[in-house]
Amino acid sequence: MMSTKGSHRRSPPILVVDDDLRTREAIRLTLEEEGFEVETASDGGQALHQARRRRPSLVVLDMRLPVADGAAVAGGLRAMLGEPPPILLITADDRGESKARRIGAYAFLPKPFDLEDLLALIRLGLQ
Amino acid sequence: MRAGLLPAVRLGHRAVRLRSEDLESMVAQNNHDALNSNLADLAKTGPIVRYYEADQTLVDAVGEFIGAALAADDLGIVIATEAHRADIEAHLQAAGLDTTSARTRGRFISLNALETLARIMVDGKPDQSHFGEIVGSLVSRATASGRQVRIFGEMVGLLLEQSNHAGVIRLEELWNELRVKHAFSLLCGYRMPTLSGDSLSALTKNICAAHDHVVPTEAYLVLTEPGEHLRAVAELEQKARSLALEVGARQQAEQRLEAVLPSEQRELSNFIETAPIGLLWIDRDGTIVWANQAELDLLGYARKDFLGRRIAEFNVTADAPDDFLARLERSEVLSGYPVRLRCNDGSIKRVLIDSTVVCEDGHPVRTQCFTRDVTELHRAVERTRRLQEITEQLSTSLESNLVLAMIARSAADLLEAPVGAVFLLEGGVAWADFVLAAAHGIEESRHHQLRLPRKASLAGRVIDECQTLIVDDARSTSGTALPALLTGETTGSEIAAPIIAGDMRLGVVKAFSPALRRFSPEDAALLTSLAAAAAIALTNARMYSDAQQGIEARDEFLSMAAHDLKTPLASVKATAQLLRRRLARGEAPDTDRLIGGLASIDDTTSAMAEQLDEMVDNARIQMGGQLQLRRHPIDLVTLARRVAAAHQETTQQHTIHVLTSQPELVANVDDVRMGRVLDNLLSNAIKYSPGGGRIDIRLSREGEAGDDAVLLAVKDHGLGIPAADLPRIFEHFQRAANVEGRIGGAGIGLASVRHIVYQHGGTIVVHSIEGVGSTFTVRLPLHFTVSNDDVD
């Protein structure tokens, strides 16, 4: 779907990693409506696989993932890409803030979250 | 006043006796001269015996007697002791007689009575021929002179003093025989004090009989009034009688005493000798001078090896070895003084000593000790004290492992056995087998092998009977398992006490000795006390641990719960916001999308509600409570298929099959809870085979009608579970070591699975081989009635 806010199509996609289908889809649809290109992954392995294929401009990352959890993904990105893309951590874990810091995320958003907040943080991260 | 002699006269062989009235009148008139002058005459008629008390009396009498002869130029012969000879001679000289010239002229002969007596004695008796030679010839010569002869002889007196009564009589006889041949006057003297005692009364009679005249001692010669003599006689008679009575009485008393005293003495002696308490006499320098049998037995010595040694040799007390001895030396009285003594066999006994001190003339001469053996008492006190120490120690730790190790060690220590151990009922279930929880005296490597069967073991019996039991010899007692396990042979002695907290049977504490020994009732009491302390300590430790775990669990649970609910909430919120944004943008609402979105919200909130139910169940199970099952007849085949289908949707790498030969299997179950059980088993199967593969759910029926059951097995071909983790797999919060990362938090754990199965009266077991796969098998009896079973 085309965004009226201008085209971000040529910038790398935002990678959304979350094992919950509905959450993942809600985020994807919202971002696409805002004109972002989005890729999704439902587990840590998939996430790294896709990141290798197409370096994302930003990663929206859930902590609790099968195969490899959020921390492993962050580490993998770093190892793979040198300087990793900005990582926005979304998690229902109440110790999310310290986890975000540990994995080197630039921001942390607790679940359940506001889509507006998510968008704001993503825009911030892309700058 | 001088006593007078009652004279008697003998002329030739005719006895002329003065009548006693004449004598009396002479005495009455105090006519001593008459007496004395008649004495010679009197003496002629027969020998006079003179009893005297004071030597002077005799000397005077003899002096008069002989003096009269010398004065008349007759002959006087004195056979007397040296002392008397000298005194008599002095008396004669004082009377103006010239004894020297008399001697020269042969008128005065003085002989030593002792020497003369010695010469006439043969074999302790006066000999007739010797008497004749020495005395007879002397008298013969004397009478041949034609003059009168007066003789004083003391030899009989000497014989009497020598207690030679037979000799006295014989010598008197010899004198009498001599008087038959020759005419002379004889005066004999006997000291009165020598005449005493029964045996001499006969002698006195004989002497008196042998003499024609008897003169009592001087005391009775002062009586002058005529009636006084009779009175005196009467008094004497009375005194004699009363004396006789008194003597008789005393003799009787003596006899009685002699009869009684020896036996009393014997009894007392026996009493002391056989007293059960050790008695000991120690003299001033610590030497043992006497001991009774109990003392000897106490220390195991023979009398000859004990007496004469010093008490210090047996004293062990190293801390104050001299204090005891110092007190003894000071002759201090001891009261309950504790001492350790070394026995003959090297063992050491503890005793308490009480002592008394015996003094003579105010100086202590000996200490008398009473020794009480308190070795056993001390030992019992020590063990009780040790038990107290252990009990206090147990309360210092809340860690189960430490407490268990302490209990095992204490059992061995208190009962002085090589092995002490604690066995607990597996899973805390009252009908389960025993697992070794802690041991002292068994190598670590063998610990995990030691399981005791619930029924065929001493531990089992102890739990059944709720009391401490002893097996003296495992060989002769059936139904013991530990000896064989430990030593490979059915031999050894065991004692076990149940560990029961309230009415919860936890296990047993045991002591074991491969070498046979008797465990005593005191041992049993000690072990029972230890077991009681163990019950409390273990319960405390367990409660603490449960509390800690509970707190951790709660934390984790809350964390997980929040997380698990927040995730679907996030999707609900995101979906709702997404729809709002779209509608707010004024776009024409895509009805399908809207319906889809709302449906998604609906489903998610439903799922959340169910999640909440599960969480409540889990929480209840974790806290040890029971679920309220809602049981209905449910076809398990249908249930299995439903759950299988749901899970199949979540994975493409696995294939889930429901295998059964039965068209349906209906059981009375709570379908929601049993659904969760299947859910968990399937989701585990999927998680534990990350490489995908086949997952089989097999349903079957087994058993006879009335005792039949449904078997439900979930089998995967995944990672399997390491053997070391298998025993604890159904416990709360266990995660196998071979699982990477944290796998899921939603749903119930295996602990809850087992709990739900138990509440249905069923069982669940797992078979697993690492690298091959796992099979979980649930068995549900079809005819299980709900009861208050003990399910943890």
Side-chain angles (χ1 to χ4, degrees), chain B residues 507-538:
Chain B
V508 297
V509 56
K510 275 180 184 272
F512 174 73
S513 166
L516 295 183
R517 62 167 275 186
R518 297 210 87 93
F519 288 108
S520 64
E522 289 76 37
D523 290 330
L526 269 178
L527 195 64
T528 308
S529 296
L530 181 64
I536 296 171
L538 280 175

PDB file of all heavy atoms in Angstrom, chain B residues 507-538:
ATOM      1  N   GLY B 507      10.152 -40.945  56.334  1.00  0.00           N
ATOM      2  CA  GLY B 507      11.152 -41.966  56.023  1.00  0.00           C
ATOM      3  C   GLY B 507      11.660 -42.583  57.311  1.00  0.00           C
ATOM      4  O   GLY B 507      10.959 -42.596  58.310  1.00  0.00           O
ATOM      5  N   VAL B 508      12.895 -43.113  57.249  1.00  0.00           N
ATOM      6  CA  VAL B 508      13.486 -43.727  58.440  1.00  0.00           C
ATOM      7  C   VAL B 508      14.938 -43.265  58.600  1.00  0.00           C
ATOM      8  O   VAL B 508      15.590 -42.898  57.621  1.00  0.00           O
ATOM      9  CB  VAL B 508      13.486 -45.265  58.362  1.00  0.00           C
ATOM     10  CG1 VAL B 508      12.092 -45.814  58.306  1.00  0.00           C
ATOM     11  CG2 VAL B 508      14.317 -45.750  57.191  1.00  0.00           C
ATOM     12  N   VAL B 509      15.388 -43.299  59.868  1.00  0.00           N
ATOM     13  CA  VAL B 509      16.814 -43.121  60.130  1.00  0.00           C
ATOM     14  C   VAL B 509      17.335 -44.444  60.687  1.00  0.00           C
ATOM     15  O   VAL B 509      16.683 -45.066  61.525  1.00  0.00           O
ATOM     16  CB  VAL B 509      17.072 -41.950  61.111  1.00  0.00           C
ATOM     17  CG1 VAL B 509      16.324 -42.130  62.414  1.00  0.00           C
ATOM     18  CG2 VAL B 509      18.546 -41.811  61.379  1.00  0.00           C
ATOM     19  N   LYS B 510      18.478 -44.866  60.156  1.00  0.00           N
ATOM     20  CA  LYS B 510      18.989 -46.197  60.485  1.00  0.00           C
ATOM     21  C   LYS B 510      20.414 -46.150  60.974  1.00  0.00           C
ATOM     22  O   LYS B 510      21.188 -45.270  60.601  1.00  0.00           O
ATOM     23  CB  LYS B 510      19.069 -47.023  59.194  1.00  0.00           C
ATOM     24  CG  LYS B 510      17.828 -47.707  58.772  1.00  0.00           C
ATOM     25  CD  LYS B 510      18.174 -48.451  57.481  1.00  0.00           C
ATOM     26  CE  LYS B 510      16.975 -49.102  56.901  1.00  0.00           C
ATOM     27  NZ  LYS B 510      16.756 -50.438  57.428  1.00  0.00           N
ATOM     28  N   ALA B 511      20.756 -47.166  61.756  1.00  0.00           N
ATOM     29  CA  ALA B 511      22.163 -47.431  62.037  1.00  0.00           C
ATOM     30  C   ALA B 511      22.395 -48.895  61.704  1.00  0.00           C
ATOM     31  O   ALA B 511      21.521 -49.740  61.923  1.00  0.00           O
ATOM     32  CB  ALA B 511      22.486 -47.156  63.495  1.00  0.00           C
ATOM     33  N   PHE B 512      23.568 -49.168  61.136  1.00  0.00           N
ATOM     34  CA  PHE B 512      23.843 -50.528  60.687  1.00  0.00           C
ATOM     35  C   PHE B 512      25.257 -50.916  61.053  1.00  0.00           C
ATOM     36  O   PHE B 512      26.182 -50.108  60.970  1.00  0.00           O
ATOM     37  CB  PHE B 512      23.649 -50.606  59.166  1.00  0.00           C
ATOM     38  CG  PHE B 512      24.047 -51.919  58.570  1.00  0.00           C
ATOM     39  CD1 PHE B 512      23.273 -53.043  58.764  1.00  0.00           C
ATOM     40  CD2 PHE B 512      25.216 -52.027  57.823  1.00  0.00           C
ATOM     41  CE1 PHE B 512      23.647 -54.264  58.216  1.00  0.00           C
ATOM     42  CE2 PHE B 512      25.598 -53.247  57.276  1.00  0.00           C
ATOM     43  CZ  PHE B 512      24.814 -54.370  57.464  1.00  0.00           C
ATOM     44  N   SER B 513      25.424 -52.179  61.456  1.00  0.00           N
ATOM     45  CA  SER B 513      26.753 -52.693  61.742  1.00  0.00           C
ATOM     46  C   SER B 513      26.923 -54.038  61.054  1.00  0.00           C
ATOM     47  O   SER B 513      26.155 -54.961  61.323  1.00  0.00           O
ATOM     48  CB  SER B 513      26.931 -52.836  63.255  1.00  0.00           C
ATOM     49  OG  SER B 513      28.069 -53.607  63.539  1.00  0.00           O
ATOM     50  N   PRO B 514      27.895 -54.162  60.144  1.00  0.00           N
ATOM     51  CA  PRO B 514      28.087 -55.457  59.484  1.00  0.00           C
ATOM     52  C   PRO B 514      28.472 -56.536  60.491  1.00  0.00           C
ATOM     53  O   PRO B 514      28.082 -57.677  60.354  1.00  0.00           O
ATOM     54  CB  PRO B 514      29.234 -55.206  58.499  1.00  0.00           C
ATOM     55  CG  PRO B 514      29.422 -53.745  58.436  1.00  0.00           C
ATOM     56  CD  PRO B 514      28.852 -53.156  59.674  1.00  0.00           C
ATOM     57  N   ALA B 515      29.241 -56.122  61.527  1.00  0.00           N
ATOM     58  CA  ALA B 515      29.560 -57.057  62.604  1.00  0.00           C
ATOM     59  C   ALA B 515      28.367 -57.120  63.538  1.00  0.00           C
ATOM     60  O   ALA B 515      27.773 -56.099  63.866  1.00  0.00           O
ATOM     61  CB  ALA B 515      30.791 -56.575  63.351  1.00  0.00           C
ATOM     62  N   LEU B 516      28.014 -58.332  63.963  1.00  0.00           N
ATOM     63  CA  LEU B 516      26.836 -58.469  64.801  1.00  0.00           C
ATOM     64  C   LEU B 516      27.022 -57.762  66.134  1.00  0.00           C
ATOM     65  O   LEU B 516      28.077 -57.840  66.734  1.00  0.00           O
ATOM     66  CB  LEU B 516      26.539 -59.957  65.047  1.00  0.00           C
ATOM     67  CG  LEU B 516      26.151 -60.754  63.806  1.00  0.00           C
ATOM     68  CD1 LEU B 516      25.820 -62.197  64.213  1.00  0.00           C
ATOM     69  CD2 LEU B 516      24.936 -60.137  63.127  1.00  0.00           C
ATOM     70  N   ARG B 517      25.971 -57.114  66.589  1.00  0.00           N
ATOM     71  CA  ARG B 517      25.992 -56.503  67.917  1.00  0.00           C
ATOM     72  C   ARG B 517      24.555 -56.360  68.383  1.00  0.00           C
ATOM     73  O   ARG B 517      23.631 -56.385  67.570  1.00  0.00           O
ATOM     74  CB  ARG B 517      26.668 -55.131  67.877  1.00  0.00           C
ATOM     75  CG  ARG B 517      25.954 -54.142  67.001  1.00  0.00           C
ATOM     76  CD  ARG B 517      26.463 -52.764  67.242  1.00  0.00           C
ATOM     77  NE  ARG B 517      25.795 -52.140  68.372  1.00  0.00           N
ATOM     78  CZ  ARG B 517      25.973 -50.886  68.742  1.00  0.00           C
ATOM     79  NH1 ARG B 517      26.820 -50.154  68.093  1.00  0.00           N
ATOM     80  NH2 ARG B 517      25.342 -50.374  69.767  1.00  0.00           N
ATOM     81  N   ARG B 518      24.433 -56.216  69.660  1.00  0.00           N
ATOM     82  CA  ARG B 518      23.088 -56.050  70.195  1.00  0.00           C
ATOM     83  C   ARG B 518      22.806 -54.554  70.379  1.00  0.00           C
ATOM     84  O   ARG B 518      23.525 -53.878  71.082  1.00  0.00           O
ATOM     85  CB  ARG B 518      22.979 -56.725  71.553  1.00  0.00           C
ATOM     86  CG  ARG B 518      23.197 -58.211  71.500  1.00  0.00           C
ATOM     87  CD  ARG B 518      22.369 -58.858  72.614  1.00  0.00           C
ATOM     88  NE  ARG B 518      21.031 -59.129  72.161  1.00  0.00           N
ATOM     89  CZ  ARG B 518      20.653 -60.288  71.639  1.00  0.00           C
ATOM     90  NH1 ARG B 518      21.517 -61.253  71.480  1.00  0.00           N
ATOM     91  NH2 ARG B 518      19.418 -60.479  71.249  1.00  0.00           N
ATOM     92  N   PHE B 519      21.772 -54.094  69.777  1.00  0.00           N
ATOM     93  CA  PHE B 519      21.309 -52.742  70.059  1.00  0.00           C
ATOM     94  C   PHE B 519      20.375 -52.826  71.251  1.00  0.00           C
ATOM     95  O   PHE B 519      19.463 -53.630  71.271  1.00  0.00           O
ATOM     96  CB  PHE B 519      20.577 -52.155  68.846  1.00  0.00           C
ATOM     97  CG  PHE B 519      21.501 -51.807  67.706  1.00  0.00           C
ATOM     98  CD1 PHE B 519      21.509 -52.581  66.556  1.00  0.00           C
ATOM     99  CD2 PHE B 519      22.355 -50.725  67.787  1.00  0.00           C
ATOM    100  CE1 PHE B 519      22.355 -52.274  65.505  1.00  0.00           C
ATOM    101  CE2 PHE B 519      23.212 -50.408  66.739  1.00  0.00           C
ATOM    102  CZ  PHE B 519      23.215 -51.196  65.591  1.00  0.00           C
ATOM    103  N   SER B 520      20.637 -51.967  72.238  1.00  0.00           N
ATOM    104  CA  SER B 520      19.897 -52.081  73.495  1.00  0.00           C
ATOM    105  C   SER B 520      18.639 -51.201  73.471  1.00  0.00           C
ATOM    106  O   SER B 520      18.494 -50.357  72.584  1.00  0.00           O
ATOM    107  CB  SER B 520      20.791 -51.609  74.639  1.00  0.00           C
ATOM    108  OG  SER B 520      21.069 -50.233  74.460  1.00  0.00           O
ATOM    109  N   PRO B 521      17.771 -51.378  74.450  1.00  0.00           N
ATOM    110  CA  PRO B 521      16.597 -50.494  74.551  1.00  0.00           C
ATOM    111  C   PRO B 521      17.012 -49.028  74.674  1.00  0.00           C
ATOM    112  O   PRO B 521      16.316 -48.141  74.174  1.00  0.00           O
ATOM    113  CB  PRO B 521      15.901 -50.973  75.827  1.00  0.00           C
ATOM    114  CG  PRO B 521      16.329 -52.377  75.980  1.00  0.00           C
ATOM    115  CD  PRO B 521      17.715 -52.471  75.429  1.00  0.00           C
ATOM    116  N   GLU B 522      18.164 -48.776  75.323  1.00  0.00           N
ATOM    117  CA  GLU B 522      18.629 -47.385  75.406  1.00  0.00           C
ATOM    118  C   GLU B 522      18.989 -46.877  74.022  1.00  0.00           C
ATOM    119  O   GLU B 522      18.736 -45.718  73.689  1.00  0.00           O
ATOM    120  CB  GLU B 522      19.866 -47.263  76.306  1.00  0.00           C
ATOM    121  CG  GLU B 522      19.615 -47.464  77.787  1.00  0.00           C
ATOM    122  CD  GLU B 522      19.417 -48.922  78.147  1.00  0.00           C
ATOM    123  OE1 GLU B 522      20.092 -49.786  77.557  1.00  0.00           O
ATOM    124  OE2 GLU B 522      18.566 -49.190  79.003  1.00  0.00           O
ATOM    125  N   ASP B 523      19.612 -47.744  73.225  1.00  0.00           N
ATOM    126  CA  ASP B 523      19.929 -47.369  71.845  1.00  0.00           C
ATOM    127  C   ASP B 523      18.655 -47.013  71.098  1.00  0.00           C
ATOM    128  O   ASP B 523      18.600 -46.026  70.366  1.00  0.00           O
ATOM    129  CB  ASP B 523      20.618 -48.537  71.114  1.00  0.00           C
ATOM    130  CG  ASP B 523      22.022 -48.788  71.623  1.00  0.00           C
ATOM    131  OD1 ASP B 523      22.664 -47.815  72.062  1.00  0.00           O
ATOM    132  OD2 ASP B 523      22.462 -49.946  71.582  1.00  0.00           O
ATOM    133  N   ALA B 524      17.631 -47.836  71.285  1.00  0.00           N
ATOM    134  CA  ALA B 524      16.374 -47.586  70.586  1.00  0.00           C
ATOM    135  C   ALA B 524      15.783 -46.251  71.007  1.00  0.00           C
ATOM    136  O   ALA B 524      15.301 -45.483  70.174  1.00  0.00           O
ATOM    137  CB  ALA B 524      15.383 -48.723  70.865  1.00  0.00           C
ATOM    138  N   ALA B 525      15.832 -45.983  72.308  1.00  0.00           N
ATOM    139  CA  ALA B 525      15.283 -44.718  72.797  1.00  0.00           C
ATOM    140  C   ALA B 525      16.034 -43.539  72.189  1.00  0.00           C
ATOM    141  O   ALA B 525      15.428 -42.545  71.770  1.00  0.00           O
ATOM    142  CB  ALA B 525      15.354 -44.667  74.320  1.00  0.00           C
ATOM    143  N   LEU B 526      17.351 -43.657  72.123  1.00  0.00           N
ATOM    144  CA  LEU B 526      18.167 -42.585  71.547  1.00  0.00           C
ATOM    145  C   LEU B 526      17.817 -42.351  70.085  1.00  0.00           C
ATOM    146  O   LEU B 526      17.657 -41.206  69.651  1.00  0.00           O
ATOM    147  CB  LEU B 526      19.642 -42.954  71.638  1.00  0.00           C
ATOM    148  CG  LEU B 526      20.390 -42.495  72.889  1.00  0.00           C
ATOM    149  CD1 LEU B 526      21.806 -42.990  72.827  1.00  0.00           C
ATOM    150  CD2 LEU B 526      20.364 -40.982  73.002  1.00  0.00           C
ATOM    151  N   LEU B 527      17.734 -43.458  69.341  1.00  0.00           N
ATOM    152  CA  LEU B 527      17.454 -43.312  67.911  1.00  0.00           C
ATOM    153  C   LEU B 527      16.070 -42.720  67.683  1.00  0.00           C
ATOM    154  O   LEU B 527      15.857 -41.908  66.775  1.00  0.00           O
ATOM    155  CB  LEU B 527      17.588 -44.665  67.201  1.00  0.00           C
ATOM    156  CG  LEU B 527      17.674 -44.562  65.672  1.00  0.00           C
ATOM    157  CD1 LEU B 527      18.925 -43.829  65.261  1.00  0.00           C
ATOM    158  CD2 LEU B 527      17.635 -45.942  65.042  1.00  0.00           C
ATOM    159  N   THR B 528      15.113 -43.146  68.523  1.00  0.00           N
ATOM    160  CA  THR B 528      13.757 -42.599  68.394  1.00  0.00           C
ATOM    161  C   THR B 528      13.775 -41.089  68.625  1.00  0.00           C
ATOM    162  O   THR B 528      13.122 -40.327  67.897  1.00  0.00           O
ATOM    163  CB  THR B 528      12.815 -43.282  69.402  1.00  0.00           C
ATOM    164  OG1 THR B 528      12.928 -44.686  69.257  1.00  0.00           O
ATOM    165  CG2 THR B 528      11.378 -42.855  69.179  1.00  0.00           C
ATOM    166  N   SER B 529      14.533 -40.664  69.637  1.00  0.00           N
ATOM    167  CA  SER B 529      14.636 -39.222  69.896  1.00  0.00           C
ATOM    168  C   SER B 529      15.271 -38.503  68.718  1.00  0.00           C
ATOM    169  O   SER B 529      14.831 -37.418  68.330  1.00  0.00           O
ATOM    170  CB  SER B 529      15.461 -38.963  71.152  1.00  0.00           C
ATOM    171  OG  SER B 529      14.818 -39.489  72.272  1.00  0.00           O
ATOM    172  N   LEU B 530      16.328 -39.133  68.192  1.00  0.00           N
ATOM    173  CA  LEU B 530      16.990 -38.524  67.035  1.00  0.00           C
ATOM    174  C   LEU B 530      16.026 -38.404  65.865  1.00  0.00           C
ATOM    175  O   LEU B 530      15.985 -37.389  65.171  1.00  0.00           O
ATOM    176  CB  LEU B 530      18.213 -39.365  66.630  1.00  0.00           C
ATOM    177  CG  LEU B 530      19.012 -38.826  65.436  1.00  0.00           C
ATOM    178  CD1 LEU B 530      19.634 -37.494  65.767  1.00  0.00           C
ATOM    179  CD2 LEU B 530      20.088 -39.826  65.018  1.00  0.00           C
ATOM    180  N   ALA B 531      15.247 -39.460  65.655  1.00  0.00           N
ATOM    181  CA  ALA B 531      14.285 -39.445  64.551  1.00  0.00           C
ATOM    182  C   ALA B 531      13.257 -38.334  64.749  1.00  0.00           C
ATOM    183  O   ALA B 531      12.858 -37.663  63.795  1.00  0.00           O
ATOM    184  CB  ALA B 531      13.581 -40.800  64.443  1.00  0.00           C
ATOM    185  N   ALA B 532      12.843 -38.142  65.986  1.00  0.00           N
ATOM    186  CA  ALA B 532      11.872 -37.072  66.253  1.00  0.00           C
ATOM    187  C   ALA B 532      12.476 -35.718  65.926  1.00  0.00           C
ATOM    188  O   ALA B 532      11.838 -34.873  65.286  1.00  0.00           O
ATOM    189  CB  ALA B 532      11.434 -37.117  67.722  1.00  0.00           C
ATOM    190  N   ALA B 533      13.728 -35.528  66.375  1.00  0.00           N
ATOM    191  CA  ALA B 533      14.411 -34.262  66.069  1.00  0.00           C
ATOM    192  C   ALA B 533      14.568 -34.114  64.559  1.00  0.00           C
ATOM    193  O   ALA B 533      14.412 -33.028  64.000  1.00  0.00           O
ATOM    194  CB  ALA B 533      15.774 -34.229  66.753  1.00  0.00           C
ATOM    195  N   ALA B 534      14.874 -35.243  63.907  1.00  0.00           N
ATOM    196  CA  ALA B 534      15.045 -35.215  62.455  1.00  0.00           C
ATOM    197  C   ALA B 534      13.748 -34.812  61.775  1.00  0.00           C
ATOM    198  O   ALA B 534      13.754 -34.047  60.810  1.00  0.00           O
ATOM    199  CB  ALA B 534      15.485 -36.595  61.961  1.00  0.00           C
ATOM    200  N   ALA B 535      12.641 -35.340  62.262  1.00  0.00           N
ATOM    201  CA  ALA B 535      11.346 -35.012  61.652  1.00  0.00           C
ATOM    202  C   ALA B 535      11.112 -33.513  61.672  1.00  0.00           C
ATOM    203  O   ALA B 535      10.724 -32.908  60.668  1.00  0.00           O
ATOM    204  CB  ALA B 535      10.220 -35.741  62.393  1.00  0.00           C
ATOM    205  N   ILE B 536      11.387 -32.937  62.818  1.00  0.00           N
ATOM    206  CA  ILE B 536      11.178 -31.496  62.948  1.00  0.00           C
ATOM    207  C   ILE B 536      12.131 -30.737  62.035  1.00  0.00           C
ATOM    208  O   ILE B 536      11.720 -29.828  61.295  1.00  0.00           O
ATOM    209  CB  ILE B 536      11.393 -31.057  64.408  1.00  0.00           C
ATOM    210  CG1 ILE B 536      10.351 -31.708  65.300  1.00  0.00           C
ATOM    211  CG2 ILE B 536      11.339 -29.547  64.529  1.00  0.00           C
ATOM    212  CD1 ILE B 536      10.582 -31.514  66.764  1.00  0.00           C
ATOM    213  N   ALA B 537      13.401 -31.136  62.094  1.00  0.00           N
ATOM    214  CA  ALA B 537      14.405 -30.413  61.311  1.00  0.00           C
ATOM    215  C   ALA B 537      14.116 -30.520  59.820  1.00  0.00           C
ATOM    216  O   ALA B 537      14.203 -29.542  59.076  1.00  0.00           O
ATOM    217  CB  ALA B 537      15.800 -30.953  61.632  1.00  0.00           C
ATOM    218  N   LEU B 538      13.769 -31.727  59.389  1.00  0.00           N
ATOM    219  CA  LEU B 538      13.489 -31.914  57.966  1.00  0.00           C
ATOM    220  C   LEU B 538      12.257 -31.145  57.538  1.00  0.00           C
ATOM    221  O   LEU B 538      12.227 -30.547  56.455  1.00  0.00           O
ATOM    222  CB  LEU B 538      13.283 -33.395  57.652  1.00  0.00           C
ATOM    223  CG  LEU B 538      14.557 -34.217  57.515  1.00  0.00           C
ATOM    224  CD1 LEU B 538      14.213 -35.676  57.327  1.00  0.00           C
ATOM    225  CD2 LEU B 538      15.374 -33.707  56.343  1.00  0.00           C
TER     226      LEU B 538
END
